[in-house]
Amino acid sequence: MKKSFFTLEHTRQLTEDIWELIFSGDTSAVTAPGQFVNVELPEKFLRRPISICDWTADSLTLLVKEAGEGTRQLVRFPSGTRFDVLSGLGNGFDLEQAGEHAILAGGGIGIAPLYGLARRMAERGHAPVVALGFRTKTDTFYLEEFSALGCRLLIATEDGSLGTKGFVTDCIRSLPECDYVLTCGPLPMLQAVHSLPQLKGGQFSFEARMGCGFGACMGCSVPTKGGYKRVCKDGPILDKEEIIW
Amino acid sequence: MVNLAVSLAGVTLKNPIIPASGTFGYGREYAELYDLNILGSFSWKGTTGQARLGNPQPRIAEMTGGMLNAVGLQNPGIDKVLSDEVPHIAEIFQGPVIANVGGFSVEEYAENCRKLEDVKQVRILEVNISCPNVHAGGKNFGCDPKAAAEVTKAVKAATNKPVFMKLTPNVTDITEIARACEDAGADGLCLINTLLGMRIDLKSRRPVIANRTGGVSGPAVFPVALRMVWDVYEAVNIPIIGCGGVSTAEDAVEMMLAGAAAVEVGAANLKDPYACKTIIETLPDVCQRLGVTNLSQLTGGAHHG
């Protein structure tokens, strides 16, 4: 973990309520896709934990969904705004565990960390299959970005306006050889993915209301088969085998 | 040169800054960030006889100027702390440690304190009496002067270490509880614990925190804590650790002027993991600016006249 300042360089609106924010700053504390940053906002006491979408040595990309006051504020700052950020928080995805038949599955804003993950898998010579779920066509984002990595994309929308009508789980079912999943999304989606019998293993990224974001306050602890774990420090990625719903 | 050292019931701290219980775990997470030996002391996570899993999620809510938490005393239990945390603390911090102890009966408090008797690095016991008494229908020990005195007496009988009772602000008259603890033999007091509060989510129309209520902390409670330290300082003759909303070196000085011999820093650590380090580093400059050469002499300095 590192505490440092990041400067907002560029903001781009992707959908009605999802924005791409690109910052410049020192990302040396970021070690794995799936980690998150904790961003301090003016007039807010608690920082906002936000999943890292992608990073280079000196730039950081976050996809932010307007969910409340803080995130509404965050996506509207002008370029040049400086933020106090705790970076490199959480465990991140473990690429070594993902075998040949791994699939990346994301729902809504949960897609964000899968991009950085897919990019690193592609760089290792194997662009993964990516299943993305949205409510409707106008909610979709980052499809071109994933395609540009060479990923095979499977899209599901709840109303059938793009791709398969249904859910991300329907996409995974259509590929019976997939036996491992790296996933992030809303809790009901994670639970549905977890219950797919074809999966031998997987890594699931969880969200929580956090106090500190670095393991000190126990504000985000959840029960697992291996005892209580802190989503911020022991997670946000939990192994399929340890999850209790 | 400013002398930052203070004394708490015979225990010398090199400066008055102490991370507050529940915001600092057992030191592990912060030791990755800075050398904990700059701290006057630290108060470890409230520890009970048995391991506790704590409350359901969500446990955290935000508010203007602070936060609410209902962690529910999640801790590994005293035996695990003795076997796993105490040896590790000795590696990351060589100063005096304050052991925060919880309990759900008078006997449990005494037993937990007894188990700490041989831990040399624990120099002060901080007894959290904001716990429900399972033998009295869940009534909070800290809300009843008789129950607070009973815990104090039992703990004093179980240990030779200085005992500081940590008081809840959720009472009509905190000086009454403070006096009861002093009369029962407490060596000092720590105040305040969090203030009971709640938030409601406008969309779901349900409380934000699963436990419904939570403890309010952060800068917003500072004036409340300060006032209570002031009142208790006038009511008792034992040292006070001032706690509640302290975020800067100036806040620490103000807390000492109100009557605190040392100062705990809580929620500020969660917002800025380097909060205590920054306070300690800026304290000499703040003292110099105010013409203070011996920090311990500030305690109660606003009460004259």
Side-chain angles (χ1 to χ4, degrees):
Chain A
M1 173 174 99
K2 191 181 177 87
K3 182 176 180 287
S4 60
F5 284 97
F6 280 74
T7 305
L8 182 63
E9 298 293 343
H10 185 70
T11 304
R12 176 167 70 117
Q13 187 165 12
L14 302 177
T15 72
E16 192 190 349
D17 59 357
I18 291 175
W19 303 67
E20 177 193 64
L21 274 61
I22 298 174
F23 299 82
S24 59
D26 173 7
T27 61
S28 57
V30 182
T31 56
Q35 287 187 312
F36 66 97
V37 293
N38 218 355
V39 184
E40 190 172 74
L41 296 175
E43 311 299 315
K44 296 285 176 218
F45 187 75
L46 294 173
R47 290 168 185 266
R48 295 300 186 273
I50 296 167
S51 186
I52 295 169
C53 172
D54 199 14
W55 77 99
T56 66
D58 55 7
S59 87
L60 176 75
T61 304
L62 304 179
L63 304 186
V64 179
K65 181 183 163 114
E66 291 181 54
E69 262 179 66
T71 43
R72 193 151 43 239
Q73 198 186 354
L74 177 58
V75 300
R76 286 179 173 76
F77 281 105
S79 298
T81 308
R82 262 160 49 98
F83 295 89
D84 181 318
V85 174
L86 303 179
S87 59
L89 301 172
N91 56 357
F93 289 108
D94 181 357
L95 279 72
E96 307 300 329
Q97 300 290 321
E100 210 179 318
H101 300 296
I103 188 169
L104 274 52
I109 191 62
I111 287 165
L114 301 184
Y115 178 75
L117 174 63
R119 190 162 79 80
R120 273 149 194 83
M121 291 170 83
E123 281 168 7
R124 289 181 170 204
H126 177 65
V129 179
V130 180
L132 303 176
F134 304 93
R135 270 178 312 174
T136 182
K137 189 180 173 183
T138 52
D139 284 349
T140 61
F141 60 95
Y142 253 55
L143 305 185
E144 286 167 25
E145 283 80 353
F146 277 102
S147 296
L149 296 175
C151 297
R152 181 179 165 200
L153 267 186
L154 304 172
I155 311 290
T157 51
E158 291 175 33
D159 62 0
S161 51
L162 188 72
T164 305
K165 184 179 191 304
F167 299 96
V168 126
T169 40
D170 298 311
C171 299
I172 301 174
R173 275 197 211 96
S174 72
L175 296 173
E177 70 276 18
C178 280
D179 58 2
Y180 195 92
V181 69
L182 299 125
T183 183
C184 182
L187 213 53
M189 184 204 104
L190 293 184
Q191 196 165 2
V193 170
H194 192 267
S195 68
L196 290 172
Q198 75 194 73
L199 298 176
K200 295 198 180 78
Q203 298 172 43
F204 291 69
S205 181
F206 284 80
E207 225 181 13
R209 278 182 185 266
M210 294 178 186
C212 63
F214 52 88
C217 74
M218 304 294 155
C220 63
S221 298
V222 294
T224 73
K225 286 178 190 162
Y228 267 63
K229 293 209 166 175
R230 297 161 294 181
V231 171
C232 71
K233 178 90 174 175
D234 310 309
I237 319 293
L238 296 180
D239 196 75
K240 180 174 184 285
E241 300 310 316
E242 62 185 342
I243 296 164
I244 298 173
W245 297 104
Chain B
M1 269 303 278
V2 183
N3 179 9
L4 298 180
V6 299
S7 172
L8 282 177
V11 179
T12 301
L13 313 186
K14 67 169 144 191
N15 65 62
I17 305 304
I18 308 167
S21 180
T23 66
F24 216 73
Y26 298 92
R28 285 176 188 269
E29 293 74 24
Y30 293 88
E32 291 174 21
L33 304 178
Y34 64 89
D35 182 357
L36 301 189
N37 286 300
I38 62 163
L39 300 169
S41 173
F42 84 83
S43 179
W44 78 29
K45 171 94 185 133
T47 301
T48 50
Q50 302 300 314
R52 281 177 59 82
L53 303 176
N55 291 323
Q57 289 289 340
R59 299 174 172 184
I60 302 284
E62 197 181 34
M63 54 177 259
T64 305
M67 60 180 286
L68 292 84
N69 89 83
V71 169
L73 273 174
Q74 183 185 344
N75 78 92
I78 187 88
D79 295 332
K80 196 100 175 139
V81 167
L82 287 170
S83 64
D84 295 4
E85 300 295 345
V86 165
H88 186 257
I89 289 171
E91 287 172 26
I92 57 176
F93 180 62
Q94 283 74 51
V97 169
I98 298 177
N100 187 291
V101 178
F104 298 90
S105 68
V106 174
E107 299 73 31
E108 185 190 337
Y109 278 111
E111 180 60 17
N112 294 342
C113 290
R114 202 173 291 122
K115 286 183 173 175
L116 291 165
E117 192 60 10
D118 294 332
V119 182
K120 287 206 175 63
Q121 199 179 0
V122 169
R123 299 290 305 279
I124 289 173
L125 301 177
E126 180 179 272
V127 182
N128 170 17
I129 48 173
S130 305
C131 299
N133 181 352
V134 294
H135 298 311
K139 195 177 175 202
N140 196 311
F141 286 100
C143 293
D144 173 13
K146 271 192 201 131
E150 248 185 274
V151 175
T152 310
K153 265 186 210 145
V155 169
K156 280 297 288 175
T159 183
N160 291 307
K161 295 184 195 287
V163 171
F164 279 61
M165 305 304 285
K166 183 160 183 181
L167 307 187
T168 170
N170 304 311
V171 293
T172 309
D173 180 5
I174 196 166
T175 64
E176 189 189 7
I177 313 286
R179 274 195 215 96
C181 292
E182 182 184 38
D183 291 345
D187 300 286
L189 301 168
C190 176
L191 57 130
I192 57 175
N193 208 319
T194 54
L195 288 142
L196 207 53
M198 73 183 293
R199 297 300 308 270
I200 292 170
D201 183 83
L202 300 186
K203 276 190 205 152
S204 68
R205 303 186 183 186
R206 302 288 309 153
V208 172
I209 291 178
N211 188 51
R212 295 202 301 276
T213 62
V216 177
S217 61
V221 312
F222 178 69
V224 179
L226 190 84
R227 189 272 294 174
M228 290 194 173
V229 168
W230 173 282
D231 285 349
V232 169
Y233 181 79
E234 302 226 321
V236 302
N237 294 306
I238 49 179
I240 299 165
I241 302 173
C243 178
V246 174
S247 310
T248 63
E250 285 85 350
D251 292 344
V253 167
E254 195 173 336
M255 196 57 107
M256 291 182 75
L257 287 170
V263 177
E264 287 189 2
V265 177
N269 292 308
L270 306 183
K271 181 182 179 61
D272 174 6
Y274 294 96
C276 284
K277 184 172 188 278
T278 305
I279 292 172
I280 291 165
E281 285 168 357
T282 50
L283 205 45
D285 284 350
V286 172
C287 287
Q288 234 149 21
R289 182 153 43 86
L290 299 170
V292 177
T293 52
N294 199 342
L295 190 56
S296 66
Q297 286 174 356
L298 274 189
T299 298
H303 286 264
H304 53 72

